[in-house]
Amino acid sequence: MSPPEHFLVAYEINPWMRADQPVDRDRAVRQWDALRTALLDLGHHVHVLPSVAGLPDMVFAANGAFSVDGIVYGARFKYAERSAEADAHRAFYESAGGWKFVPPTQINEGEGDFAYLPGRGLILAGHGFRTETAAHAEAQEVLGRPVVSLRLVDERFYHLDTALAVLDDQRITYYPGAFSASSQRVLAQLFPDSVLADEADALAFGLNLVSDGHNVLVNTEATAYADKLTAAGYHPVPVDLSELKKGGGSVKCCVAELRAA
């Protein structure tokens, strides 16, 4: 995670961002720290990547890379405003030790558009707005896991992690309307027991979640979706990230999951 010490909406690169919308940075920091504390209370270890002045979106740490079994496929951002974030993430992995970092040649935005199901050894990858399909093939070669390409068609859900999330080793949750008809058929075939979200759930950033297989940290706005998670046997842990939502992100965007070897 990376604190929002320099967070603001300085430019507009997704439909949620409005440069004329004021940001309460102190509130954003408090909300971010509440998320970090919730993760710690659940027994997870949190590494903090220092924020960098001039990189207001660095708080959305999930976009910086994608790791599987100790191998890290680095990010290459579509927009110049975020490109320097990739260097900060690379430096973290190379200095931490125990990671094999592979720099990308193709445009991709890390866990924003990649999700991993350990129980299946399967990677789900989004394209349509940010990550290029060529990066899906590159990720498959780098990580040695099969990649299923999914086309996003609604600009409001510009990253895969705004429309789909992994709940446990085998199960996912997603909003069908964010995907092309063909991608919807692929998901229905691969994951017939998915927890399906509706448009209201997705607009509340309910799918931008982090799950440890039982506890699901989810945006407080997504109350109806939290009820669906409960009905499916999970334990929702509501977290208020309303200030960070102004930048187009919520729980998952703030958390880069580290999958060590």
Side-chain angles (χ1 to χ4, degrees):
M1 298 180 68
S2 184
E5 294 170 350
H6 303 288
F7 174 66
L8 76 159
V9 181
Y11 42 77
E12 299 178 5
I13 58 173
N14 70 57
W16 302 90
M17 303 177 84
R18 289 185 53 186
D20 61 350
Q21 186 175 47
V23 168
D24 186 334
R25 191 174 296 158
D26 290 340
R27 186 181 184 207
V29 170
R30 291 194 301 271
Q31 291 179 345
W32 176 89
D33 194 57
L35 171 60
R36 185 185 65 88
T37 299
L39 286 164
L40 293 172
D41 288 346
L42 291 172
H44 303 292
H45 183 71
V46 178
H47 299 265
V48 177
L49 179 65
S51 58
V52 177
L55 298 178
D57 278 346
M58 195 166 165
V59 63
F60 301 128
N63 303 146
F66 177 56
S67 64
V68 175
D69 293 341
I71 303 173
V72 182
Y73 178 49
R76 183 180 176 190
F77 288 87
K78 177 176 180 178
Y79 292 102
E81 291 89 341
R82 298 195 66 184
S83 60
E85 293 178 40
D87 296 331
H89 285 271
R90 177 174 184 169
F92 165 79
Y93 288 104
E94 291 184 337
S95 64
W99 300 95
K100 177 185 176 183
F101 185 91
V102 181
T105 65
Q106 305 298 324
I107 292 174
N108 82 89
E109 301 200 347
E111 286 197 315
D113 276 320
F114 289 106
Y116 184 58
L117 288 98
R120 300 194 184 195
L122 185 68
I123 295 170
L124 303 181
H127 69 94
F129 299 103
R130 297 292 184 87
T131 297
E132 301 290 343
T133 53
H136 297 182
E138 185 171 61
Q140 181 167 275
E141 289 301 309
V142 168
L143 300 168
R145 298 290 186 274
V147 175
V148 176
S149 293
L150 303 167
R151 183 183 172 209
L152 297 162
V153 296
D154 188 328
E155 66 175 358
R156 296 173 299 176
F157 311 113
Y158 58 96
H159 273 154
L160 184 71
D161 69 4
T162 64
L164 179 150
V166 173
L167 290 172
D168 56 41
D169 284 357
Q170 301 282 345
R171 197 178 194 187
I172 68 167
T173 178
Y174 66 99
Y175 166 49
F179 297 91
S180 68
S182 294
S183 292
Q184 288 182 44
R185 290 194 293 270
V186 169
L187 287 169
Q189 180 178 344
L190 289 175
F191 304 100
D193 64 341
S194 296
V195 177
L196 296 181
D198 60 25
E199 183 180 36
D201 299 328
L203 289 173
F205 273 52
L207 292 163
N208 196 245
L209 59 82
V210 170
S211 174
D212 62 15
H214 174 64
N215 302 293
V216 182
L217 290 95
V218 62
N219 194 335
T220 52
E221 294 180 33
T223 53
Y225 178 67
D227 290 340
K228 294 175 184 176
L229 291 173
T230 300
Y234 299 94
H235 175 239
V237 180
V239 183
D240 181 10
L241 290 178
S242 54
E243 207 62 28
L244 293 172
K245 188 181 177 185
K246 294 176 180 178
S250 187
V251 176
K252 176 56 192 169
C253 286
C254 292
V255 179
E257 297 179 51
L258 304 181
R259 303 177 186 87

